[in-house]
């Protein structure tokens, strides 16, 4: 009898185990299917929103008058960066070319002077009177020490000045870049031509060079204030966040929208995996390259995503051949097994799969560009288009119910002809992600955060690599302050490359990446993890809206036109938050708040 009883109990245990296993599999499949459904829903939202691509948004409120000299190259570069930054901040701008007509600040609430010569401004008393009466002026270029400078220098906070010199690096004496007070970047890529100046006690120093030369300061004057940048680095796009932070500290109770998105791209994944061994991996893990990716690298990346709140956007490669003429079907090195195996885990973890290309030959037709990258030249648009169709067929066979809609160009390079080929082969292409920062070779595909005239969303990447570097840290801090965006990419085979890995083993690269992402999470705990398509479509909704601000006593009232989803804003104020209506306000730094507006009309009441 006892044997029979134990037999029945074992059977029950086995049945329960089978049922639990089935439930687990079903839950896993449900999550997988939900990800498919979510992606289709995002694409449909974009189709609706993109029925009127390139819609011009008019911004209300007081004007930001951006003064530049079209004859001076440096002034034009600064002017372009300032205008684009204010456009992201949804501020009404008026561009004034003093090479064409005299300065006139009537109707301006803020004047941003991008020229270095005050002599071009006409009567210098116009500037000081404008600020004294309650206006705000920011100088975004090192000022020439001319006669006009010496008429105003005391009013902008300077007690003594000397000759100019090249100064390196930057130290933030404030949180002009959100979350980065006391950040020191001592690297040659930050270089300014700056005047030697001494500031008065009433000036608020926000940033200085490594050698202590004041670079950025605020000086209240009358009812308004001056913001002075004593350098030349605003000519470069990477420094837009410093301008955004400075302008947000110039006026009281400053509020502006951000996209609020954190993205992590993995280029060349899934893709054919190189066979064989390399000593740096085998000595540490006793595995060949395919087993290393399967057993070590990919589990480590999944753990990183879970620990630091990331969603991966992975972009696949079908083959590493250099073929630029069809037919392209079934290359010998394609790896459908790994595509399905890794791809399923990407989707189950909440990530996204996009296309990097049929192969890694950038879609372009210039021999000069091809030679620079060591690639081949595509003969025509038709061959490029055929290769993309093959990559889509390959992906769709592996994931037949999944809409693949995001693209990252190989080596961040694509020509106009290549973009035409994409559109021809891929009607539901939704987002292209290349690079944000300028390329010294002028060969990369450089983007802004925008919706192109053809309806494709441009959502660039800003930083890259497993390890922190001064440049990457600075670029990250600037993009987070100006846009509320962290957009980063890595490659699986960085560990195989001596240059990209800096000769470090995976254990060190993994440690560096973990420390980097823990720092990002600690500095910006408010930023939302997104895939490329999620972030792009959210951004599209923000770009298609405008915000009208009104002040009534101690309250800020916001009204969002074309409101579709929660909107996020950065509020800089020294006042306390007393009450909110239709929004949530969270402190994210000293005198800095994240505002989440859940309705088209919302209110923030401040302690006056």
């Amino acid at each position: 009898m006892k044997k029979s009883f134990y037999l029945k109990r074992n059977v029950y245990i086995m049945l329960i185990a089978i049922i639990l296993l089935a439930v687990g599999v079903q839950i896993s499949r449900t999550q997988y299917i939900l990800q498919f459904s979510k992606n289709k829903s995002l694409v449909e939202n974009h189709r609706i929103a993109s029925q009127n691509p390139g819609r011009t948004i008019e911004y209300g409120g007081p004007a930001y008058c951006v003064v530049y000299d079209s004859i001076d190259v440096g002034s034009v570069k600064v002017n372009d960066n300032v205008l684009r930054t204010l456009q992201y901040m949804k501020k009404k701008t008026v561009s004034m070319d003093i090479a064409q007509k005299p300065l006139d600040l009537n109707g301006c609430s803020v004047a941003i002077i991008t020229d270095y010569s005050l002599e071009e401004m006409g009567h210098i008393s116009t500037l000081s009177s404008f600020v004294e009466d309650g206006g705000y002026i920011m100088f975004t270029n090192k000022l020439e020490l001319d006669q006009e400078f010496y008429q105003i220098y005391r009013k902008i906070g300077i007690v003594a000045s000397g000759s100019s010199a090249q100064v390196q690096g930057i130290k933030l004496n404030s949180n002009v870049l959100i979350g980065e007070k006391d950040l020191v970047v001592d690297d040659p890529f930050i270089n300014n031509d700056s005047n030697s100046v001494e500031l008065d006690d009433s000036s608020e120093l926000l940033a200085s060079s490594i050698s202590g030369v004041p670079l950025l300061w605020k000086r209240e004057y009358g009812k308004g204030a001056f913001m002075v940048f004593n350098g030349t680095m605003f000519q470069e796009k990477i420094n837009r966040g410093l301008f955004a932070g400075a302008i947000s500290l110039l006026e009281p109770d400053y509020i502006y929208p951000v996209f609020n998105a954190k993205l992590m791209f993995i280029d060349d994944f899934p893709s054919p995996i190189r066979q064989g061994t390399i000593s740096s991996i085998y000595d540490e893990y006793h595995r060949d390259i395919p087993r290393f990716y399967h057993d070590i690298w990919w589990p480590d990346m999944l753990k990183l995503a879970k620990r630091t709140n990331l969603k991966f956007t992975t972009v696949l490669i079908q083959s590493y051949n250099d073929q630029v003429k069809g037919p392209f079907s079934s290359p010998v090195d394609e790896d459908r097994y790994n595509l399905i195996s890794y791809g399923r885990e990407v989707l189950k973890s909440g990530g996204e799969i996009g296309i990097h290309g049929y192969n890694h030959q950038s879609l372009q037709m210039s021999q000069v560009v091809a030679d620079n990258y060591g690639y081949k030249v595509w003969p025509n648009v038709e061959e490029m288009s055929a290769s993309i169709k093959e990559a889509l067929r390959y992906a769709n066979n592996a994931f037949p119910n999944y809409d693949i809609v995001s693209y990252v160009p190989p080596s961040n390079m694509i020509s106009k002809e290549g973009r035409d080929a994409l559109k021809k082969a891929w009607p539901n292409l939704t987002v292209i992600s290349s690079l944000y920062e300028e390329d010294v070779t002028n060969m990369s595909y450089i983007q802004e955060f925008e919706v192109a005239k053809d309806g494709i969303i441009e959502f660039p990447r800003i930083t890259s690599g497993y390890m922190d570097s001064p440049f990457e840290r600075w670029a990250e801090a600037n993009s987070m302050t100006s846009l509320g965006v962290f957009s980063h990419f890595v490659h699986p085979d960085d560990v195989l490359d001596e240059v990209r890995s800096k000769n470090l083993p995976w254990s060190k690269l993994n440690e560096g990446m973990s420390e980097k992402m823990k720092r990002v999470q600690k500095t910006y705990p408010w930023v939302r993890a997104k895939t490329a398509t999620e972030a792009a479509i959210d951004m599209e909704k923000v770009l298609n809206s405008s915000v009208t601000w009104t002040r009534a006593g101690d309250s800020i009232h916001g009204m969002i036109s074309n409101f579709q989803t929660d909107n996020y804003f950065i509020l800089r104020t020294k006042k306390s938050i007393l009450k909110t209506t239709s929004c949530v306000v969270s402190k994210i730094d000293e005198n800095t708040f994240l505002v989440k507006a859940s309705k088209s009309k919302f209110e923030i009441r401040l302690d006056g």
Side-chain angles (χ1 to χ4, degrees):
M1 293 295 292
K2 288 184 180 180
K3 288 183 179 180
S4 175
F5 172 77
Y6 283 122
L7 178 61
K8 289 180 181 180
R9 188 173 69 175
N10 289 341
V11 170
Y12 291 143
I13 292 173
M14 290 174 64
L15 286 172
I16 291 171
I18 291 170
I19 292 170
L20 290 175
L21 179 61
V23 169
V25 170
Q26 187 60 40
I27 291 172
S28 177
R29 289 187 61 190
T30 301
Q31 292 171 338
Y32 186 52
I33 292 168
L34 282 175
Q35 187 66 15
F36 283 4
S37 175
K38 183 178 182 181
N39 203 55
K40 287 181 178 292
S41 176
L42 288 171
V43 175
E44 183 59 31
N45 286 341
H46 169 65
R47 289 194 183 109
I48 295 170
S50 62
Q51 290 176 356
N52 295 304
R55 176 172 173 246
T56 301
I57 304 295
E58 297 292 337
Y59 303 125
Y64 286 68
C65 298
V66 185
V67 183
Y68 76 106
D69 183 352
S70 59
I71 299 175
D72 182 73
V73 174
S75 177
V76 170
K77 288 181 178 179
V78 176
N79 176 70
D80 291 345
N81 282 322
V82 166
L83 286 174
R84 177 63 76 163
T85 305
L86 291 173
Q87 177 184 332
Y88 286 133
M89 301 172 95
K90 294 190 179 292
K91 304 301 181 184
K92 180 181 178 181
T93 58
V94 176
S95 193
M96 298 181 173
D97 182 4
I98 55 173
Q100 300 296 323
K101 59 182 181 180
L103 179 67
D104 181 5
L105 297 182
N106 287 326
C108 305
S109 66
V110 179
I112 300 165
I113 313 296
T114 70
D115 195 17
Y116 65 92
S117 174
L118 293 178
E119 183 180 3
E120 307 294 333
M121 302 299 119
H123 295 291
I124 199 67
S125 59
T126 302
L127 299 182
S128 55
S129 296
F130 175 78
V131 175
E132 190 172 20
D133 293 340
Y136 297 89
I137 287 180
M138 180 173 178
F139 298 107
T140 57
N141 241 330
K142 179 206 72 173
L143 295 175
E144 187 173 275
L145 304 182
D146 53 20
Q147 182 178 345
E148 285 72 20
F149 171 83
Y150 285 109
Q151 292 180 40
I152 199 176
Y153 78 107
R154 288 295 185 100
K155 297 174 183 178
I156 63 175
I158 299 173
V159 295
S161 62
S163 59
S164 64
Q166 295 293 315
V167 296
Q168 179 176 304
I170 192 167
K171 177 182 178 181
L172 301 185
N173 307 84
S174 66
N175 66 341
V176 60
L177 293 182
I178 296 171
E180 295 290 6
K181 183 178 181 180
D182 298 325
L183 174 67
V184 176
V185 180
D186 187 3
D187 194 275
F189 81 87
I190 294 184
N191 188 276
N192 283 285
D193 183 13
S194 302
N195 293 321
S196 174
V197 295
E198 180 183 345
L199 305 181
D200 64 23
D201 293 338
S202 297
S203 296
E204 180 185 0
L205 180 64
L206 304 176
S208 58
S209 73
I210 297 301
S211 60
V213 175
L215 289 180
L216 180 68
W217 66 90
K218 179 180 178 180
R219 176 59 153 81
E220 294 184 353
Y221 180 73
K223 297 178 182 179
F226 290 100
M227 182 72 72
V228 183
F229 183 70
N230 178 31
T232 49
M233 62 193 282
F234 283 148
Q235 296 181 31
E236 298 169 5
K237 186 176 181 180
I238 189 179
N239 303 310
R240 287 179 181 175
L242 187 63
F243 166 77
I247 203 74
S248 72
L249 295 178
L250 176 57
E251 294 182 86
D253 310 328
Y254 195 94
I255 191 166
Y256 63 96
V258 290
F259 300 131
N260 192 3
K262 177 171 65 173
L263 291 80
M264 177 65 70
F265 292 82
I266 306 179
D267 290 5
D268 306 316
F269 185 74
S271 65
I273 296 176
R274 172 179 160 186
Q275 300 298 308
T277 63
I278 62 172
S279 59
S280 61
I281 288 175
Y282 193 82
D283 291 347
E284 188 171 13
Y285 298 107
H286 303 291
R287 285 167 172 81
D288 63 10
I289 295 171
R291 293 311 303 176
F292 162 73
Y293 281 134
H294 183 273
D295 297 347
I296 308 297
W297 176 82
W298 182 230
D300 283 347
M301 293 297 288
L302 288 174
K303 291 173 188 174
L304 173 72
K306 188 172 183 179
R307 284 197 312 267
T308 60
N309 186 30
L310 292 174
K311 290 184 178 182
F312 292 133
T313 297
T314 70
V315 286
L316 67 85
I317 287 284
Q318 184 173 354
S319 172
Y320 279 110
N321 66 35
D322 59 1
Q323 185 178 346
V324 293
K325 292 183 180 180
F328 297 103
S329 60
S330 302
V332 295
D333 62 336
E334 74 176 21
D335 190 344
R336 190 170 183 272
Y337 174 80
N338 276 330
L339 170 62
I340 294 173
S341 175
Y342 288 125
R344 284 180 179 271
E345 290 185 311
V346 169
L347 296 176
K348 283 168 63 177
S349 68
E352 175 181 356
I353 300 173
I355 298 290
H356 205 30
Y358 163 74
N359 55 20
H360 212 279
Q361 303 296 307
S362 296
L363 300 180
Q364 60 83 39
M365 298 169 61
S366 165
Q367 189 63 55
V368 173
V369 174
D371 290 344
N372 180 71
Y373 290 100
Y375 291 160
K376 286 188 175 181
V377 174
W378 290 84
N380 51 54
V381 169
E382 287 70 26
E383 296 289 2
M384 289 188 282
S385 184
S387 76
I388 292 299
K389 286 182 179 179
E390 168 58 21
L392 288 168
R393 182 203 63 79
Y394 174 64
N396 289 330
N397 280 347
F399 306 104
N401 298 313
Y402 182 69
D403 279 352
I404 294 181
V405 295
S406 62
Y407 176 76
V408 171
S411 297
N412 298 298
M413 200 281 127
I414 185 172
S415 67
K416 179 185 179 302
E417 295 84 2
R419 203 174 187 280
D420 291 342
L422 280 178
K423 287 282 291 182
K424 183 178 180 180
W426 197 350
N428 66 339
L429 172 62
T430 301
V431 54
I432 297 176
S433 296
S434 186
L435 293 180
Y436 181 66
E437 173 57 20
E438 297 102 335
D439 172 22
V440 292
T441 68
N442 292 318
M443 293 183 183
S444 296
Y445 183 62
I446 304 302
Q447 301 174 291
E448 294 289 345
F449 289 85
E450 62 186 353
V451 181
K453 291 182 179 180
D454 60 8
I456 295 176
I457 305 172
E458 308 274 338
F459 201 105
R461 289 97 63 80
I462 299 169
T463 54
S464 64
Y466 290 95
M467 305 292 288
D468 258 334
S469 72
F471 181 87
E472 302 296 329
R473 179 74 181 273
W474 181 252
E476 170 201 307
N478 274 263
S479 64
M480 285 302 304
T481 297
S482 60
L483 302 163
V485 170
F486 176 87
S487 185
H488 191 82
F489 71 95
V490 295
H491 304 84
D493 64 353
D494 285 345
V495 68
L496 309 182
D497 187 283
E498 292 182 357
V499 175
R500 282 183 279 152
S501 70
K502 300 178 173 58
N503 281 317
L504 295 174
W506 170 244
S507 58
K508 292 296 182 183
L509 294 176
N510 185 39
E511 180 182 339
M513 189 67 170
S514 296
E515 290 301 315
K516 176 187 182 72
M517 295 315 304
K518 282 194 291 186
R519 176 187 56 73
V520 170
Q521 188 177 34
K522 181 179 179 181
T523 308
Y524 314 108
W526 47 272
V527 70
R528 301 174 300 165
K530 294 285 179 178
T531 66
T533 303
E534 289 171 348
I537 291 175
D538 266 7
M539 181 190 75
E540 181 181 31
K541 293 174 182 177
V542 173
L543 293 176
N544 285 335
S545 69
S546 63
V547 188
T548 301
W549 303 104
T550 56
R551 296 295 299 263
D554 299 324
S555 293
I556 300 173
H557 296 265
M559 186 171 69
I560 305 170
S561 68
N562 197 28
F563 179 86
Q564 298 180 58
T565 187
D566 292 340
N567 277 215
Y568 293 86
F569 304 87
I570 297 295
L571 170 63
R572 298 275 205 152
T573 181
K574 294 182 179 179
K575 301 171 184 176
S576 301
I577 310 297
L578 294 183
K579 183 181 178 181
T580 62
T581 303
S582 299
C583 64
V584 176
V585 179
S586 307
K587 186 174 182 179
I588 59 174
D589 198 5
E590 182 181 4
N591 301 327
T592 306
F593 302 85
L594 180 72
V595 179
K596 177 183 177 182
S598 54
K599 293 184 178 179
S600 61
K601 295 181 181 180
F602 61 101
E603 177 186 355
I604 305 168
R605 185 179 174 189
L606 304 174
D607 180 7

